[in-house]
Amino acid sequence: MPVEIVATERLACGYREGYVLEDISFTVNAGDYVGIVGPNGSGKSTLVQALLGLVPISSGSARLFGSRCDNFSQWGRIGYLPQSLHLLNPIFPATVAETVALGLLSLKRFPRRLTRQDRETVETTLDVLGVYDIRSKLIGELSGGQQQRVLLARALVNDPELLILDEPTAALDPETRERFYHMIADVNRSRGVTVLLVTHDTGVIGQHASKMLYLDKRMLFYGGFDDFCHSPEMSSLFGEHSQHLMCHRH
Amino acid sequence: MNLIEILSYGFIQRALLAGTLIAVLCSVLGVFLVLRRLSLIGDGLAHVTFGSTAIALALQLYSAASLLVSLPVVLLASLGILKLTEKARLNGDAAIGIVSAVGISIGIMLASVGGGYNVDLLSYLFGNILSISYEEVIIAAGLFCVVMVLLWLFFHDLLAISFNEELARVSGVRTNLISAVLVMLTALSVVLAMKLVGIMLISSLLILPAVSALQLARSFRACIVLAALQGGCSVVAGIFVSFLTNLPTSAMIVMINLLFFCCSCGVRRLITIRNIG
């Protein structure tokens, strides 16, 4: 019996100008690796932000671990990695270790104090992600690839059951990007962490993800990548040439 | 006159004690404010303090008693800035500008009507740390303890929202509450600092130690400690130098902070050149 991690029913989100997302219904089960793709402005990031309660839901519903997103409180079960370029204040004086330790706050109650055991957990995570040697460096002094590894360590340090990544490789070179995606796939396979990945790169989805969700304000497709590639419906929607390009980038 | 003789004066002892406590508070809070791009909130709240002091003087509440009016008014104004930012879809700087202008306008209107207490009110513009009373020292010490305990309790939450508000929310931090705590702590400190450097110069005590520490700190904790050290040292040095040179203490404290900032920039530059070399 699959365990439901994320579920939406006729979800709609919008601003004054109108709906950004409309009629989105899907379910993600434990252990799934779902790639969310779509053109710019298709509502990919809005969907992720609605699930996390960062933008209000206009109608319909969304649940995380069975709880409604608007009053969700089990943040220790989630790891989140937003787009790096939006994230970092270059003058922020936190070290790599201090930054990763912030990921443990979701497991703490007020007053949130970190223990010696927490520091050991941070060091273990830094070691696993290969950033232990730079633990004393300031986050603003690192390269884009190193920063993204540190932020992934921050997202994983609380041992989450669901990892949400919003275009995490936008600022990375192709080689670093490839290594990063292998790392995520490994986290999904070896730890059984459910992954929701927003990306432009359909090749990554074909290579690593178990499911694909294609958005363009509405949900145009949700299912296995091979099903997408062989779907006559998608073929008529995108045209055979575009469908072929999306399916054979990897 | 030697150091021992200077220290034997009661007003110098009071100024050193209250001044150091308030400067440490402002410097620590300043690190969070600068990182959250709220540096000018101190300036805005100082203008509100001017208005609230005018109200207190109109009610014939002088010295420490004026805090009975200033503290609640400035605390409300600090929350008003947050609400304007959230509800009226304004940027933080615009909200600070509105509250600041209203605060100073109230002060000017009351000063114009009151006439007789103009001189008292103007003394708050530039501060007079050497006239701090014993009661004000006690209040400063009490509020110092309150603010420090709150900072200790909310330290990681404040660090999280300063790093990134979106990530903090997804870590379960109640960002609206923590932002309110930060601006209210700032409001308390601004009211206390009014006597120290005056309304016109308060923001320098919030900003300069923080930006100097940001030049040199190699961790967040080090940044907080460096800022607090600079704030405290600048007040002690400012009081002594102004006493010996017969120059205004508040302006001297600001100039010493500026000197620290220039030195920090210089040291950082040297470190960068050495690392490149």
XYZ file of all heavy atoms in Angstrom, chain A residues 207-247:
335
model
N 16.624 10.616 -16.857
C 17.735 9.847 -16.312
C 17.472 9.373 -14.883
O 17.828 8.262 -14.525
C 18.979 10.738 -16.330
C 20.266 9.970 -16.445
C 21.439 10.926 -16.611
O 21.270 12.117 -16.862
N 22.629 10.401 -16.448
N 16.885 10.241 -14.047
C 16.819 9.938 -12.611
C 15.410 9.803 -12.045
O 15.214 9.044 -11.098
C 17.534 11.038 -11.808
C 18.973 11.199 -12.140
N 19.906 10.224 -11.872
C 19.652 12.219 -12.728
C 21.105 10.638 -12.271
N 20.969 11.850 -12.796
N 14.441 10.578 -12.559
C 13.140 10.645 -11.871
C 12.253 9.450 -12.207
O 12.381 8.847 -13.275
C 12.436 11.945 -12.242
N 11.361 9.132 -11.274
C 10.418 8.043 -11.539
C 9.136 8.582 -12.183
O 8.424 7.854 -12.848
C 10.090 7.304 -10.240
O 9.581 8.197 -9.274
N 8.851 9.870 -11.967
C 7.637 10.465 -12.541
C 7.935 11.877 -13.043
O 8.878 12.520 -12.586
C 6.525 10.540 -11.484
C 5.908 9.201 -11.141
C 4.857 9.373 -10.057
C 4.276 8.021 -9.675
N 3.484 8.096 -8.451
N 7.063 12.328 -13.921
C 7.208 13.697 -14.449
C 5.864 14.405 -14.360
O 4.817 13.813 -14.645
C 7.653 13.609 -15.900
C 7.655 14.909 -16.634
S 8.513 14.637 -18.200
C 7.883 15.981 -19.151
N 5.924 15.674 -13.923
C 4.702 16.488 -13.871
C 4.939 17.680 -14.792
O 5.850 18.472 -14.541
C 4.468 16.941 -12.421
C 3.110 17.522 -12.036
C 2.936 17.466 -10.530
C 2.912 18.926 -12.517
N 4.171 17.750 -15.885
C 4.356 18.857 -16.828
C 3.275 19.905 -16.579
O 2.085 19.616 -16.641
C 4.285 18.365 -18.284
C 4.844 19.386 -19.239
C 6.143 19.275 -19.724
C 4.091 20.494 -19.626
C 6.673 20.233 -20.578
C 4.620 21.464 -20.460
C 5.909 21.325 -20.939
O 6.438 22.290 -21.768
N 3.734 21.124 -16.281
C 2.823 22.216 -15.934
C 2.867 23.305 -16.993
O 3.932 23.594 -17.545
C 3.284 22.888 -14.639
C 2.888 22.361 -13.268
C 3.452 23.310 -12.222
C 1.387 22.277 -13.139
N 1.736 23.885 -17.279
C 1.718 25.176 -17.973
C 0.448 25.889 -17.492
O -0.565 25.928 -18.192
C 1.710 25.004 -19.489
C 2.033 26.319 -20.192
O 2.211 27.335 -19.471
O 2.113 26.339 -21.424
N 0.545 26.354 -16.265
C -0.583 26.908 -15.499
C -1.581 25.805 -15.108
O -2.130 25.812 -14.036
C -1.292 28.044 -16.242
C -0.395 29.263 -16.445
C -1.176 30.455 -16.826
C -0.447 31.722 -17.075
N 0.932 31.868 -16.851
N -1.818 24.861 -15.982
C -2.597 23.660 -15.666
C -1.661 22.462 -15.751
O -0.578 22.558 -16.330
C -3.719 23.471 -16.691
C -4.822 24.482 -16.560
C -5.765 24.394 -17.751
N -6.897 25.285 -17.536
C -8.002 24.941 -16.920
N -8.157 23.711 -16.460
N -8.995 25.790 -16.753
N -2.112 21.350 -15.175
C -1.284 20.144 -15.250
C -1.554 19.444 -16.573
O -2.665 18.978 -16.825
C -1.626 19.220 -14.078
C -0.606 18.136 -13.874
S -0.951 17.211 -12.385
C -2.236 16.151 -12.972
N -0.540 19.402 -17.441
C -0.754 18.792 -18.758
C -0.425 17.312 -18.745
O -0.967 16.550 -19.552
C 0.119 19.509 -19.803
C -0.148 21.004 -19.978
C 0.744 21.579 -21.055
C -1.615 21.258 -20.315
N 0.464 16.912 -17.845
C 0.828 15.489 -17.790
C 1.331 15.143 -16.397
O 2.076 15.911 -15.779
C 1.923 15.187 -18.830
C 2.382 13.751 -18.794
C 1.675 12.766 -19.470
C 3.501 13.382 -18.050
C 2.087 11.432 -19.413
C 3.912 12.059 -17.997
C 3.201 11.082 -18.670
N 0.987 13.956 -15.905
C 1.597 13.444 -14.672
C 1.684 11.926 -14.788
O 0.664 11.239 -14.953
C 0.768 13.815 -13.434
C 1.435 13.342 -12.141
C 2.754 13.670 -11.859
C 0.741 12.565 -11.224
C 3.368 13.238 -10.696
C 1.345 12.129 -10.048
C 2.662 12.476 -9.793
O 3.285 12.050 -8.648
N 2.896 11.419 -14.786
C 3.081 9.967 -14.904
C 4.533 9.653 -15.159
O 5.417 10.505 -14.987
N 4.818 8.439 -15.590
C 6.199 8.018 -15.850
C 6.762 8.741 -17.067
O 6.003 9.138 -17.973
N 8.088 8.889 -17.112
C 8.737 9.621 -18.207
C 8.524 8.885 -19.535
O 8.257 9.514 -20.568
C 10.226 9.771 -17.895
C 10.947 10.660 -18.854
C 10.752 12.023 -18.843
C 11.818 10.119 -19.803
C 11.422 12.851 -19.739
C 12.485 10.937 -20.696
C 12.287 12.300 -20.657
N 8.613 7.559 -19.511
C 8.417 6.782 -20.740
C 6.992 6.933 -21.254
O 6.768 7.011 -22.467
C 8.737 5.302 -20.483
C 10.237 5.092 -20.331
O 10.991 5.968 -20.804
O 10.649 4.085 -19.721
N 6.048 6.966 -20.305
C 4.637 7.165 -20.711
C 4.485 8.506 -21.427
O 3.752 8.620 -22.408
C 3.703 7.142 -19.482
C 3.740 5.803 -18.778
O 4.070 4.807 -19.446
O 3.468 5.759 -17.562
N 5.183 9.536 -20.893
C 5.135 10.861 -21.524
C 5.674 10.782 -22.953
O 5.083 11.325 -23.885
C 5.959 11.861 -20.694
C 6.116 13.212 -21.324
C 5.121 14.162 -21.197
C 7.259 13.535 -22.070
C 5.245 15.407 -21.787
C 7.392 14.775 -22.656
C 6.388 15.716 -22.516
N 6.787 10.083 -23.093
C 7.452 10.028 -24.404
C 6.644 9.242 -25.435
O 6.771 9.491 -26.636
C 8.835 9.402 -24.257
S 9.932 10.453 -23.302
N 5.834 8.297 -24.960
C 5.068 7.485 -25.904
C 3.594 7.876 -25.949
O 2.791 7.173 -26.546
C 5.208 5.995 -25.540
C 6.629 5.528 -25.640
N 7.377 5.144 -24.557
C 7.459 5.453 -26.711
C 8.594 4.835 -24.952
N 8.676 5.005 -26.256
N 3.248 8.988 -25.310
C 1.842 9.367 -25.260
C 1.433 10.093 -26.552
O 1.995 11.148 -26.885
C 1.605 10.287 -24.051
O 0.430 11.003 -24.233
N 0.467 9.561 -27.280
C -0.012 10.256 -28.487
C -0.629 11.613 -28.146
O -0.528 12.567 -28.921
C -1.078 9.308 -29.045
C -0.963 8.028 -28.300
C -0.248 8.295 -27.035
N -1.216 11.699 -26.925
C -1.814 12.969 -26.486
C -0.751 14.062 -26.391
O -0.952 15.186 -26.844
C -2.412 12.784 -25.089
C -3.912 12.893 -25.024
C -4.393 12.695 -23.610
O -4.204 13.611 -22.799
O -4.938 11.606 -23.327
N 0.391 13.700 -25.791
C 1.490 14.663 -25.642
C 2.080 14.991 -27.010
O 2.489 16.114 -27.280
C 2.582 14.091 -24.721
C 2.168 13.907 -23.280
S 1.696 15.473 -22.510
C -0.051 15.232 -22.289
N 2.085 13.984 -27.851
C 2.613 14.172 -29.197
C 1.776 15.191 -29.961
O 2.305 16.075 -30.637
C 2.602 12.814 -29.896
O 3.113 12.946 -31.163
N 0.463 15.102 -29.800
C -0.390 16.073 -30.506
C -0.335 17.442 -29.840
O -0.491 18.467 -30.479
C -1.830 15.570 -30.589
O -2.338 15.394 -29.296
N -0.051 17.450 -28.507
C 0.005 18.730 -27.782
C 1.277 19.512 -28.126
O 1.237 20.706 -28.410
C -0.045 18.451 -26.271
C -0.136 19.652 -25.370
C -1.492 20.333 -25.505
C 0.046 19.222 -23.904
N 2.424 18.818 -28.096
C 3.709 19.505 -28.303
C 4.188 19.423 -29.756
O 5.072 20.164 -30.157
C 4.790 18.877 -27.413
C 4.555 19.099 -25.947
C 4.148 18.065 -25.124
C 4.735 20.351 -25.387
C 3.926 18.264 -23.784
C 4.514 20.558 -24.030
C 4.097 19.519 -23.232
N 3.649 18.483 -30.503
C 4.200 18.187 -31.825
C 5.251 17.103 -31.662
O 5.968 17.078 -30.653
N 5.366 16.226 -32.636
C 6.269 15.080 -32.494
C 7.714 15.485 -32.327
O 8.475 14.886 -31.570
C 6.127 14.169 -33.720
C 5.033 13.141 -33.505
C 4.938 12.166 -34.659
O 5.963 11.909 -35.300
O 3.831 11.676 -34.898
N 8.114 16.567 -33.040
C 9.513 16.992 -32.997
C 9.900 17.460 -31.590
O 10.920 17.018 -31.038
C 9.737 18.117 -34.006
C 11.150 18.588 -34.051
N 12.193 17.774 -34.463
C 11.702 19.773 -33.702
C 13.327 18.457 -34.376
N 13.061 19.670 -33.909
N 9.051 18.312 -30.980
C 9.345 18.816 -29.626
C 9.345 17.677 -28.615
O 10.195 17.606 -27.729
C 8.311 19.851 -29.204
O 8.340 20.929 -30.069
N 8.379 16.774 -28.782
C 8.307 15.648 -27.854
C 9.581 14.800 -27.958
O 10.160 14.383 -26.952
C 7.076 14.797 -28.161
C 6.828 13.713 -27.120
C 5.750 12.739 -27.559
O 5.499 12.585 -28.755
N 5.122 12.103 -26.607
N 10.039 14.592 -29.172
C 11.250 13.804 -29.388
C 12.460 14.490 -28.725
O 13.264 13.850 -28.058
C 11.487 13.662 -30.893
C 12.729 12.887 -31.203
N 12.765 11.508 -31.178
C 13.984 13.293 -31.509
C 13.996 11.107 -31.470
N 14.750 12.175 -31.677
N 12.535 15.840 -28.888
C 13.657 16.599 -28.286
C 13.642 16.465 -26.763
O 14.675 16.246 -26.141
C 13.556 18.082 -28.654
C 14.058 18.469 -30.034
C 13.829 19.954 -30.267
C 15.539 18.138 -30.169
N 12.442 16.592 -26.161
C 12.340 16.508 -24.697
C 12.731 15.121 -24.213
O 13.350 14.967 -23.172
C 10.906 16.819 -24.250
C 10.590 18.295 -24.235
S 9.067 18.619 -23.358
C 7.919 18.690 -24.696
N 12.375 14.109 -24.995
C 12.589 12.737 -24.531
C 13.998 12.233 -24.812
O 14.414 11.243 -24.224
C 11.581 11.801 -25.189
S 9.912 12.126 -24.619
